[in-house]
Short mmCIF file of all heavy atoms in Angstrom, two decimals:
data_model
loop_
_atom_site.label_atom_id
_atom_site.label_comp_id
_atom_site.label_asym_id
_atom_site.label_seq_id
_atom_site.Cartn_x
_atom_site.Cartn_y
_atom_site.Cartn_z
N PRO A 1277 0.82 -1.22 0.00
CA PRO A 1277 0.00 0.00 0.00
C PRO A 1277 0.84 1.26 0.00
O PRO A 1277 1.81 1.38 0.76
CB PRO A 1277 -0.81 -0.13 1.29
CG PRO A 1277 -0.91 -1.59 1.52
CD PRO A 1277 0.42 -2.14 1.07
N GLY A 1278 0.49 2.20 -0.88
CA GLY A 1278 1.18 3.47 -0.94
C GLY A 1278 2.44 3.48 -1.77
O GLY A 1278 3.08 4.54 -1.89
N LYS A 1279 2.82 2.33 -2.34
CA LYS A 1279 4.02 2.27 -3.15
C LYS A 1279 3.71 1.75 -4.54
O LYS A 1279 2.69 1.10 -4.76
CB LYS A 1279 5.08 1.37 -2.49
CG LYS A 1279 5.64 1.92 -1.19
CD LYS A 1279 6.80 1.09 -0.69
CE LYS A 1279 7.42 1.67 0.56
NZ LYS A 1279 8.59 0.88 1.02
N GLU A 1280 4.59 2.06 -5.47
CA GLU A 1280 4.42 1.62 -6.85
C GLU A 1280 4.74 0.14 -6.98
O GLU A 1280 5.51 -0.43 -6.21
CB GLU A 1280 5.32 2.43 -7.78
CG GLU A 1280 4.97 3.91 -7.86
CD GLU A 1280 5.83 4.65 -8.85
OE1 GLU A 1280 6.82 4.09 -9.33
OE2 GLU A 1280 5.50 5.82 -9.15
N ARG A 1281 4.12 -0.46 -7.97
CA ARG A 1281 4.39 -1.86 -8.26
C ARG A 1281 5.81 -2.01 -8.78
O ARG A 1281 6.24 -1.28 -9.67
CB ARG A 1281 3.38 -2.36 -9.30
CG ARG A 1281 3.34 -3.85 -9.48
CD ARG A 1281 2.10 -4.26 -10.28
NE ARG A 1281 0.87 -3.91 -9.58
CZ ARG A 1281 -0.34 -4.26 -10.00
NH1 ARG A 1281 -0.49 -4.97 -11.10
NH2 ARG A 1281 -1.41 -3.89 -9.30
N GLU A 1282 6.55 -2.96 -8.22
CA GLU A 1282 7.94 -3.15 -8.61
C GLU A 1282 8.16 -4.56 -9.14
O GLU A 1282 7.54 -5.52 -8.68
CB GLU A 1282 8.89 -2.90 -7.43
CG GLU A 1282 8.78 -3.90 -6.30
CD GLU A 1282 9.91 -3.80 -5.29
OE1 GLU A 1282 10.98 -3.27 -5.65
OE2 GLU A 1282 9.72 -4.26 -4.15
N CYS A 1283 9.07 -4.66 -10.09
CA CYS A 1283 9.40 -5.95 -10.67
C CYS A 1283 10.34 -6.71 -9.74
O CYS A 1283 11.39 -6.19 -9.34
CB CYS A 1283 10.05 -5.76 -12.03
SG CYS A 1283 10.41 -7.32 -12.89
N VAL A 1284 9.96 -7.91 -9.40
CA VAL A 1284 10.77 -8.78 -8.57
C VAL A 1284 11.65 -9.68 -9.43
O VAL A 1284 12.84 -9.88 -9.14
CB VAL A 1284 9.89 -9.63 -7.64
CG1 VAL A 1284 10.74 -10.62 -6.84
CG2 VAL A 1284 9.09 -8.73 -6.71
N ALA A 1285 11.07 -10.22 -10.49
CA ALA A 1285 11.79 -11.11 -11.39
C ALA A 1285 11.08 -11.16 -12.72
O ALA A 1285 9.88 -10.93 -12.80
CB ALA A 1285 11.90 -12.52 -10.78
N ALA A 1286 11.83 -11.47 -13.79
CA ALA A 1286 11.26 -11.55 -15.12
C ALA A 1286 11.94 -12.66 -15.90
O ALA A 1286 13.10 -13.01 -15.63
CB ALA A 1286 11.39 -10.21 -15.85
N HIS A 1287 11.22 -13.19 -16.90
CA HIS A 1287 11.70 -14.33 -17.67
C HIS A 1287 11.34 -14.13 -19.13
O HIS A 1287 10.21 -13.79 -19.46
CB HIS A 1287 11.05 -15.62 -17.15
CG HIS A 1287 11.77 -16.88 -17.49
ND1 HIS A 1287 12.00 -17.28 -18.78
CD2 HIS A 1287 12.30 -17.84 -16.70
CE1 HIS A 1287 12.64 -18.44 -18.78
NE2 HIS A 1287 12.84 -18.80 -17.53
N SER A 1288 12.30 -14.35 -20.02
CA SER A 1288 12.06 -14.19 -21.44
C SER A 1288 11.20 -15.32 -21.98
O SER A 1288 11.02 -16.36 -21.33
CB SER A 1288 13.39 -14.14 -22.21
OG SER A 1288 14.09 -15.37 -22.07
N ARG A 1289 10.68 -15.14 -23.21
CA ARG A 1289 9.89 -16.18 -23.84
C ARG A 1289 10.76 -17.35 -24.27
O ARG A 1289 10.35 -18.51 -24.14
CB ARG A 1289 9.14 -15.60 -25.05
CG ARG A 1289 8.39 -16.63 -25.87
CD ARG A 1289 7.48 -15.98 -26.91
NE ARG A 1289 8.18 -15.11 -27.83
CZ ARG A 1289 8.78 -15.51 -28.94
NH1 ARG A 1289 8.79 -16.80 -29.28
NH2 ARG A 1289 9.38 -14.62 -29.73
N VAL A 1290 11.93 -17.05 -24.82
CA VAL A 1290 12.87 -18.08 -25.25
C VAL A 1290 14.25 -17.73 -24.73
O VAL A 1290 14.53 -16.57 -24.39
CB VAL A 1290 12.91 -18.25 -26.78
CG1 VAL A 1290 11.56 -18.69 -27.31
CG2 VAL A 1290 13.35 -16.96 -27.46
N GLY A 1291 15.11 -18.71 -24.67
CA GLY A 1291 16.49 -18.49 -24.30
C GLY A 1291 16.78 -18.54 -22.82
O GLY A 1291 17.95 -18.53 -22.43
N GLY A 1292 15.75 -18.58 -21.98
CA GLY A 1292 15.96 -18.68 -20.55
C GLY A 1292 16.63 -17.48 -19.91
O GLY A 1292 17.29 -17.62 -18.88
N ASN A 1293 16.47 -16.31 -20.50
CA ASN A 1293 17.06 -15.10 -19.92
C ASN A 1293 16.19 -14.57 -18.80
O ASN A 1293 14.97 -14.44 -18.96
CB ASN A 1293 17.22 -14.03 -21.00
CG ASN A 1293 18.17 -14.48 -22.09
OD1 ASN A 1293 19.26 -14.96 -21.81
ND2 ASN A 1293 17.75 -14.35 -23.35
N THR A 1294 16.81 -14.26 -17.68
CA THR A 1294 16.06 -13.86 -16.49
C THR A 1294 16.63 -12.62 -15.85
O THR A 1294 17.80 -12.29 -16.01
CB THR A 1294 16.02 -14.98 -15.44
OG1 THR A 1294 17.36 -15.28 -15.02
CG2 THR A 1294 15.37 -16.23 -16.01
N TYR A 1295 15.77 -11.95 -15.10
CA TYR A 1295 16.13 -10.81 -14.28
C TYR A 1295 15.62 -11.05 -12.87
O TYR A 1295 14.51 -11.55 -12.69
CB TYR A 1295 15.50 -9.52 -14.83
CG TYR A 1295 15.46 -8.38 -13.84
CD1 TYR A 1295 16.54 -7.54 -13.67
CD2 TYR A 1295 14.32 -8.16 -13.07
CE1 TYR A 1295 16.51 -6.50 -12.76
CE2 TYR A 1295 14.27 -7.12 -12.16
CZ TYR A 1295 15.37 -6.29 -12.01
OH TYR A 1295 15.33 -5.27 -11.10
N VAL A 1296 16.43 -10.71 -11.89
CA VAL A 1296 16.03 -10.77 -10.50
C VAL A 1296 16.45 -9.48 -9.83
O VAL A 1296 17.61 -9.06 -9.97
CB VAL A 1296 16.65 -11.98 -9.77
CG1 VAL A 1296 16.18 -12.03 -8.33
CG2 VAL A 1296 16.30 -13.28 -10.48
N ALA A 1297 15.54 -8.85 -9.12
CA ALA A 1297 15.84 -7.60 -8.45
C ALA A 1297 16.92 -7.79 -7.40
O ALA A 1297 17.01 -8.84 -6.75
CB ALA A 1297 14.57 -7.04 -7.80
N ASN A 1298 17.74 -6.75 -7.21
CA ASN A 1298 18.82 -6.83 -6.23
C ASN A 1298 18.31 -7.15 -4.83
O ASN A 1298 18.98 -7.85 -4.07
CB ASN A 1298 19.61 -5.53 -6.21
CG ASN A 1298 20.48 -5.35 -7.44
OD1 ASN A 1298 20.86 -6.32 -8.09
ND2 ASN A 1298 20.79 -4.11 -7.77
N SER A 1299 17.13 -6.66 -4.50
CA SER A 1299 16.59 -6.84 -3.17
C SER A 1299 16.27 -8.30 -2.85
O SER A 1299 16.16 -8.66 -1.67
CB SER A 1299 15.35 -5.97 -2.97
OG SER A 1299 14.35 -6.30 -3.92
N VAL A 1300 16.10 -9.12 -3.88
CA VAL A 1300 15.75 -10.52 -3.66
C VAL A 1300 16.75 -11.47 -4.29
O VAL A 1300 16.57 -12.70 -4.22
CB VAL A 1300 14.33 -10.84 -4.17
CG1 VAL A 1300 13.30 -9.96 -3.47
CG2 VAL A 1300 14.25 -10.65 -5.68
N LYS A 1301 17.80 -10.94 -4.90
CA LYS A 1301 18.80 -11.78 -5.56
C LYS A 1301 19.44 -12.73 -4.56
O LYS A 1301 19.81 -12.34 -3.45
CB LYS A 1301 19.85 -10.91 -6.23
CG LYS A 1301 20.79 -11.67 -7.17
CD LYS A 1301 21.66 -10.71 -7.97
CE LYS A 1301 20.82 -9.84 -8.89
NZ LYS A 1301 21.66 -8.93 -9.72
N GLY A 1302 19.56 -13.98 -4.98
CA GLY A 1302 20.10 -15.01 -4.11
C GLY A 1302 19.06 -15.70 -3.26
O GLY A 1302 19.35 -16.74 -2.66
N ARG A 1303 17.85 -15.14 -3.20
CA ARG A 1303 16.77 -15.73 -2.42
C ARG A 1303 15.59 -16.17 -3.29
O ARG A 1303 14.96 -17.17 -2.99
CB ARG A 1303 16.27 -14.74 -1.37
CG ARG A 1303 17.34 -14.32 -0.37
CD ARG A 1303 16.76 -13.47 0.76
NE ARG A 1303 16.21 -12.20 0.27
CZ ARG A 1303 14.93 -11.85 0.36
NH1 ARG A 1303 14.05 -12.67 0.92
NH2 ARG A 1303 14.52 -10.67 -0.10
N PHE A 1304 15.30 -15.42 -4.35
CA PHE A 1304 14.17 -15.71 -5.23
C PHE A 1304 14.66 -16.25 -6.56
O PHE A 1304 15.69 -15.80 -7.08
CB PHE A 1304 13.34 -14.46 -5.51
CG PHE A 1304 12.54 -13.94 -4.33
CD1 PHE A 1304 12.76 -14.40 -3.05
CD2 PHE A 1304 11.56 -12.99 -4.55
CE1 PHE A 1304 12.02 -13.91 -1.98
CE2 PHE A 1304 10.81 -12.49 -3.49
CZ PHE A 1304 11.04 -12.95 -2.20
N THR A 1305 13.92 -17.19 -7.13
CA THR A 1305 14.23 -17.75 -8.43
C THR A 1305 12.97 -17.80 -9.28
O THR A 1305 11.94 -18.30 -8.82
CB THR A 1305 14.81 -19.17 -8.31
OG1 THR A 1305 15.99 -19.14 -7.49
CG2 THR A 1305 15.18 -19.71 -9.69
N ILE A 1306 13.04 -17.29 -10.50
CA ILE A 1306 11.92 -17.36 -11.43
C ILE A 1306 12.18 -18.50 -12.41
O ILE A 1306 13.32 -18.71 -12.85
CB ILE A 1306 11.72 -16.02 -12.16
CG1 ILE A 1306 10.43 -16.06 -12.99
CG2 ILE A 1306 12.92 -15.67 -13.03
CD1 ILE A 1306 10.03 -14.69 -13.55
N SER A 1307 11.13 -19.23 -12.77
CA SER A 1307 11.29 -20.34 -13.69
C SER A 1307 9.99 -20.62 -14.41
O SER A 1307 8.91 -20.15 -14.00
CB SER A 1307 11.76 -21.60 -12.95
OG SER A 1307 10.80 -22.02 -11.99
N ARG A 1308 10.08 -21.38 -15.50
CA ARG A 1308 8.92 -21.81 -16.27
C ARG A 1308 9.03 -23.31 -16.48
O ARG A 1308 10.12 -23.85 -16.61
CB ARG A 1308 8.86 -21.08 -17.61
CG ARG A 1308 8.93 -19.57 -17.49
CD ARG A 1308 8.93 -18.87 -18.84
NE ARG A 1308 7.63 -18.95 -19.49
CZ ARG A 1308 7.22 -18.13 -20.45
NH1 ARG A 1308 8.03 -17.15 -20.88
NH2 ARG A 1308 6.02 -18.30 -20.99
N ASP A 1309 7.88 -23.98 -16.51
CA ASP A 1309 7.91 -25.41 -16.74
C ASP A 1309 8.23 -25.69 -18.20
O ASP A 1309 8.18 -24.81 -19.06
CB ASP A 1309 6.59 -26.06 -16.32
CG ASP A 1309 5.43 -25.68 -17.21
OD1 ASP A 1309 5.43 -24.57 -17.78
OD2 ASP A 1309 4.50 -26.50 -17.34
N ASN A 1310 8.56 -26.95 -18.50
CA ASN A 1310 9.02 -27.30 -19.85
C ASN A 1310 7.98 -27.04 -20.93
O ASN A 1310 8.33 -26.67 -22.05
CB ASN A 1310 9.45 -28.77 -19.89
CG ASN A 1310 10.70 -29.03 -19.08
OD1 ASN A 1310 11.52 -28.14 -18.87
ND2 ASN A 1310 10.87 -30.27 -18.64
N ALA A 1311 6.72 -27.22 -20.61
CA ALA A 1311 5.64 -27.00 -21.57
C ALA A 1311 5.26 -25.53 -21.70
O ALA A 1311 4.39 -25.20 -22.51
CB ALA A 1311 4.42 -27.82 -21.18
N MET A 1312 5.87 -24.68 -20.89
CA MET A 1312 5.60 -23.25 -20.90
C MET A 1312 4.16 -22.92 -20.52
O MET A 1312 3.58 -21.95 -21.00
CB MET A 1312 5.94 -22.64 -22.26
CG MET A 1312 7.36 -22.93 -22.73
SD MET A 1312 8.63 -22.18 -21.68
CE MET A 1312 8.65 -20.51 -22.33
N ASN A 1313 3.59 -23.76 -19.66
CA ASN A 1313 2.22 -23.55 -19.21
C ASN A 1313 2.13 -22.82 -17.88
O ASN A 1313 1.09 -22.25 -17.56
CB ASN A 1313 1.49 -24.88 -19.08
CG ASN A 1313 1.28 -25.56 -20.42
OD1 ASN A 1313 1.14 -24.89 -21.45
ND2 ASN A 1313 1.24 -26.88 -20.41
N THR A 1314 3.21 -22.86 -17.10
CA THR A 1314 3.18 -22.33 -15.75
C THR A 1314 4.43 -21.51 -15.46
O THR A 1314 5.54 -21.89 -15.86
CB THR A 1314 3.06 -23.46 -14.72
OG1 THR A 1314 1.97 -24.31 -15.07
CG2 THR A 1314 2.84 -22.90 -13.33
N LEU A 1315 4.25 -20.41 -14.76
CA LEU A 1315 5.34 -19.57 -14.28
C LEU A 1315 5.45 -19.75 -12.77
O LEU A 1315 4.43 -19.79 -12.08
CB LEU A 1315 5.07 -18.11 -14.62
CG LEU A 1315 6.09 -17.09 -14.10
CD1 LEU A 1315 7.37 -17.16 -14.92
CD2 LEU A 1315 5.49 -15.69 -14.13
N TYR A 1316 6.68 -19.84 -12.27
CA TYR A 1316 6.91 -20.03 -10.85
C TYR A 1316 7.79 -18.94 -10.28
O TYR A 1316 8.63 -18.36 -10.98
CB TYR A 1316 7.59 -21.38 -10.59
CG TYR A 1316 6.81 -22.57 -11.05
CD1 TYR A 1316 7.12 -23.20 -12.25
CD2 TYR A 1316 5.76 -23.09 -10.29
CE1 TYR A 1316 6.41 -24.31 -12.68
CE2 TYR A 1316 5.05 -24.19 -10.72
CZ TYR A 1316 5.38 -24.80 -11.91
OH TYR A 1316 4.67 -25.89 -12.33
N LEU A 1317 7.61 -18.67 -9.00
CA LEU A 1317 8.53 -17.85 -8.24
C LEU A 1317 8.84 -18.58 -6.95
O LEU A 1317 7.98 -18.69 -6.06
CB LEU A 1317 7.94 -16.46 -7.94
CG LEU A 1317 8.89 -15.51 -7.21
CD1 LEU A 1317 10.06 -15.12 -8.12
CD2 LEU A 1317 8.17 -14.26 -6.73
N GLN A 1318 10.05 -19.12 -6.85
CA GLN A 1318 10.49 -19.78 -5.64
C GLN A 1318 11.10 -18.74 -4.73
O GLN A 1318 12.07 -18.08 -5.10
CB GLN A 1318 11.52 -20.87 -5.96
CG GLN A 1318 12.06 -21.60 -4.75
CD GLN A 1318 11.00 -22.41 -4.03
OE1 GLN A 1318 10.24 -23.12 -4.66
NE2 GLN A 1318 10.94 -22.28 -2.72
N MET A 1319 10.54 -18.59 -3.54
CA MET A 1319 10.97 -17.58 -2.59
C MET A 1319 11.53 -18.28 -1.36
O MET A 1319 10.80 -18.95 -0.63
CB MET A 1319 9.82 -16.66 -2.21
CG MET A 1319 9.16 -15.98 -3.40
SD MET A 1319 7.88 -14.80 -2.91
CE MET A 1319 6.68 -15.92 -2.21
N ASN A 1320 12.82 -18.11 -1.12
CA ASN A 1320 13.49 -18.69 0.03
C ASN A 1320 13.97 -17.60 0.97
O ASN A 1320 14.11 -16.44 0.57
CB ASN A 1320 14.67 -19.55 -0.41
CG ASN A 1320 14.27 -20.73 -1.25
OD1 ASN A 1320 13.20 -21.31 -1.08
ND2 ASN A 1320 15.14 -21.12 -2.18
N SER A 1321 14.24 -17.97 2.21
CA SER A 1321 14.75 -17.03 3.21
C SER A 1321 13.92 -15.76 3.26
O SER A 1321 14.45 -14.65 3.25
CB SER A 1321 16.22 -16.71 2.93
OG SER A 1321 17.02 -17.88 2.93
#
């Protein structure tokens, strides 16, 4: 509340190129399943 929406992680359509915000780097992982039907965000720590 009261803050702008921020990108935590992003994933390309092909090539497996990803972005992870510095604030969550090393803790969060973005991934897609092999069939490209589901997007995941694994959040640790």
